Amino acid sequence: MKIPVIKRLVESQTLESLVAAEEALLDERAPAFEVEGEDEGEQLTHVFAAIFILNHMKDHGSEFKNALREYTNKVRVSIS
């Protein structure tokens, strides 16, 4: 997971385009825009994170930094 990649996706893509990219990656198709990542798994992680962050920002009126912190906390909890 690379935070600069996630930030670029949040800043440059709409929620709808990110959901479409997620579906494309899950169907083993190329998304309509470039998603950086070493493999499809990392690309999917970046897209999923961007979707979570955009939803969190919208739902809670938070800034990117706070939404990113919430996402990384959830990742830490799921790993432990």
Side-chain angles (χ1 to χ4, degrees), residues 11-43:
E11 292 174 343
S12 68
Q13 300 298 323
T14 65
L15 184 57
E16 294 78 19
S17 67
L18 288 165
V19 170
E22 178 186 30
E23 291 172 2
L25 288 165
L26 287 172
D27 290 339
E28 298 180 1
R29 294 180 286 115
F33 54 89
E34 181 183 356
V35 178
E36 296 176 54
E38 296 199 16
D39 56 29
E40 289 178 351
E42 187 176 43
Q43 292 171 351

Side-chain angles (χ1 to χ4, degrees), residues 15 18 20 26 33-34 45 49-51 55-56 59 63 65 68 80:
L15 184 57
L18 288 165
L26 287 172
F33 54 89
E34 181 183 356
T45 298
I51 290 170
N55 279 324
H56 193 276
D59 294 345
E63 295 182 13
K65 180 176 72 172
L68 175 63
S80 57

